[in-house]
Every structure is written in structure tokens, then in C-alpha cells.
DNA sequence: CTAGATTAGTTAGCATGCTAAGTAAATGGT
DNA sequence: ACCATTTACTTAGCATGCTAACTAATCTAG
């Protein structure tokens, strides 16, 4: 059963497996950081803000997170309500809202980084760097193929001649 | 940038990458079968019913799909409304609803199988069997690690002594 | 300088996973 | 035989992604 080649295994659950692993990994991290008041989209946003640097715009953050603006808007509101970030309208470009950590947010970030690295160690346990790299590259290929797939279909879908 | 080892790449998006690839793959398949009236949960369910054999129960199907019953209930209703399946209460055990394809459903299934195998070929383009197997095994490990992670936390969370 | 296009962000509402809590049937202990 | 538990399924409502359509600010032509 479990010795089937990958493409056979996935015959019935192509996307399913990815989705399932995604959900369960998300849950693992979420459980670890829940006591701090963070859900997955919130902690992910925190880490990316940290990475981009304070003062980044929501647009930059959405690109970094690879999600759409409306998805981000919701998370930003929550983080603001929880008093971990604040958004200040840019003086130069009044459309932009730049993101900063509050003092409380800084402290939370430090906690987050610790907990996340702990969970990450658990998740990656028994997986060599080679395996991790293999997954990463295969995922990138899959993503690109799927992207092309979508593009082709949407082109041919409307202008079919 | 893209030459970072996997664990570095994922530092900021641990679950994110999986989720993204999942979403884009799902979209690729969905676009292909949309003309037939199937969304991802619907076509996946169709394939699994086919695999389990007509007459399977919703519970069996949910296990096969690895989703919860309420998620399945919604999909079953939709498939029934679209006249591709019907559910008959089991004579032996009146709690169970056994699933059968309608005639229309049989025809749709044949169409589905064709389209899906086409998309699958596109998605797997450029990925060797070795790579696919590597991904599959790594995903299984990740899933198991995450599962243990969740279990540990929920144990220690409440009975902490 | 003003009209139209672009860009940043929001709001509204859909899709699909989930959990919690309900119903109805089957099962099991006394 | 009857009450408690378990099982199959449903309903209600949350979480987090999305798209479509909006506002407000900026940019670009003329």
C-alpha cells in the first residue's frame, strides 16, 4: 500500500496530500504559539514584518507573504487590535500604511522566534538537508507547472481559436 | 535568494509554501474540470467514491478523503443537487447513507478521469519518479512529525505533570 | 491644471477546511 | 428489557484563503 510510487499514491489525492500536510503543520505551529495569542496568519505576518524591517508597507508584506491584500487586511486589523503592531500613514504617499511593532509587539516577537524555532526542529526531525532541499525544489517545480497550467487554461478558455 | 537551503527558505514561511503550492495545484485542476461543474472537493470525492466502489458510506469516504464528516456533508449535498450521486439509507443500519452514482454521474466520472489525467501529466512535467517519491516520503515524515507535535502539546497542555 | 489610469488599501461575500453541539439509530451492560 | 454509550450524519458557525468592487491618493497626458 504505502510502497506505491508517488504518482500512484496521489492519483486520488493529488492536491489532497499537500493540503493535509499543510493543515497539520499549521496546527502544530499554531498550538505552540497560541498561548501568545497568535494564529498562523498572525505569526507568519510578524516574522515577515521582522524580516522586511519595520516601516514596510502592507503591499510589501502581502508580496512577501504571497497572499492577497484583502487576506492581509484582516490579519493587520487583528494584530493592531492585539496591540502588537501599529500602522502609520506614510507622509510621502498617503495611500500607504507603514507597519511598526509596538513595545509589546517587540517582546512578543522575541517569544515567537523562540517557540517557532523549537517547533521547526520537531517538524524537521528525521529529515536531512538533502531531503528538505529535494522537497523544496520539487515544490517549486510543481508550483511553476501549476501556474503555467492555470495560465494556459485561462487563455484558451476564452480565446479558443 | 532562491539558492538558500530549504530550512532557510522556510524560516519565514514554514507552512506557507505548502499551502501556496496546494492552492495553485488545486486551482489548476479546478480550472480543468470546472466546465463539468466540479470543484476540487467535488471531483476528489467523485474519484474516491469510484475507488472505494459504489455503495460505500459517507464515513468510509470521509476516511478515504481524510477530511471530517461535516466537510463531506456539504460536498455530498452539492453532488446530489447536481444529480451525479444519490444517497440511499442502508437497510441494515439506518444511520448509514450509501453512495451511488446516477447515470449522469457515471458519464461525468468518465469525463473527469480523462481531464484529471491530462492535468496530472502537466503538473508532473519535469519531475522524475525519484523526485516525486522523495517528495512523497518527506511529506509523510513531515506529517508524522507534525502529528506527534500536536499530540504532545495537547497532552502537556492540560495534564502538565 | 484637469481627466483618466494606476496603486494602496478596504469592504463584502464566497469556498472549503475545521470544531462543537445536535439527532437518530445501534449496541452493550445490568 | 431499558438506560447509557457509541456511531453516522447533520447543522451552525469559525478561520483563512480568494475575487469583485469600492475609495482615496498619486501619476500621466494633453
Amino acid at each position: 500500500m504505502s510502497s506505491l510510487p508517488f504518482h500512484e499514491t496521489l492519483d486520488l489525492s493529488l492536491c489532497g496530500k499537500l493540503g493535509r500536510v499543510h493543515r497539520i503543520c499549521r496546527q502544530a505551529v499554531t498550538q505552540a504559539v497560541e498561548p501568545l495569542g497568535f494564529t498562523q496568519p498572525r505569526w507568519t505576518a510578524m516574522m515577515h514584518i521582522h524580516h522586511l524591517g519595520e516601516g514596510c508597507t502592507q503591499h510589501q508584506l502581502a508580496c512577501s507573504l504571497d497572499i492577497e491584500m484583502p487576506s492581509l487586511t484582516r490579519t493587520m486589523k487583528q494584530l493592531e487590535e492585539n496591540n502588537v503592531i501599529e500602522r502609520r500613514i506614510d507622509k510621502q504617499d498617503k495611500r500607504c500604511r507603514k507597519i511598526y511593532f509596538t513595545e509589546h509587539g517587540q517582546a512578543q516577537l522575541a517569544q515567537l522566534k523562540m517557540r517557532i524555532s523549537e517547533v521547526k526542529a520537531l517538524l524537521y526531525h528525521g529529515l536531512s538537508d538533502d531531503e528538505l532541499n529535494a522537497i523544496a525544489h520539487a515544490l517549486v517545480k510543481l508550483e511553476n507547472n501549476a501556474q503555467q497550467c492555470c495560465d494556459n487554461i485561462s487563455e484558451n478558455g476564452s480565446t479558443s481559436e
Side-chain angles (χ1 to χ4, degrees), chain A residues 29-129:
Chain A
V29 184
T30 298
Q31 285 191 2
V33 301
E34 214 161 46
L36 298 172
F38 290 100
T39 60
Q40 180 267 333
R42 291 182 217 168
W43 70 255
T44 314
M46 290 289 284
M47 296 297 278
H48 279 245
I49 295 166
H50 175 58
H51 180 69
L52 290 171
E54 291 186 80
C56 62
T57 64
Q58 294 190 185
H59 181 71
Q60 289 169 335
L61 185 52
C63 290
S64 177
L65 287 164
D66 216 341
I67 59 175
E68 300 301 320
M69 290 287 292
S71 307
L72 186 62
T73 294
R74 187 197 284 136
T75 304
M76 292 293 97
K77 266 196 215 164
Q78 294 166 339
L79 288 175
E80 202 166 48
E81 274 162 21
N82 286 7
N83 190 36
V84 290
I85 64 163
E86 57 183 44
R87 291 181 288 176
R88 305 181 200 143
I89 290 172
D90 187 6
K91 305 287 182 285
Q92 266 66 50
D93 185 341
K94 297 199 193 82
R95 290 170 306 180
C96 298
R97 292 158 156 270
K98 300 173 98 176
I99 301 163
Y100 298 87
F101 292 118
T102 61
E103 227 169 289
H104 178 57
Q106 293 282 3
Q108 292 281 74
L109 178 63
Q111 292 282 315
L112 261 185
K113 280 160 75 174
M114 271 184 19
R115 301 232 183 178
I116 288 169
S117 68
E118 283 167 19
V119 176
K120 216 176 46 160
L122 291 175
L123 286 180
Y124 292 175
H125 179 257
L127 287 155
S128 67
D129 270 15

Side-chain angles (χ1 to χ4, degrees), chain A residues 6 18 131-145:
Chain A
F6 185 66
L18 284 173
E131 282 178 289
L132 291 170
N133 279 320
I135 257 201
H137 290 131
L139 284 177
V140 169
K141 282 191 196 175
L142 255 185
E143 191 175 11
N144 290 340
N145 286 348

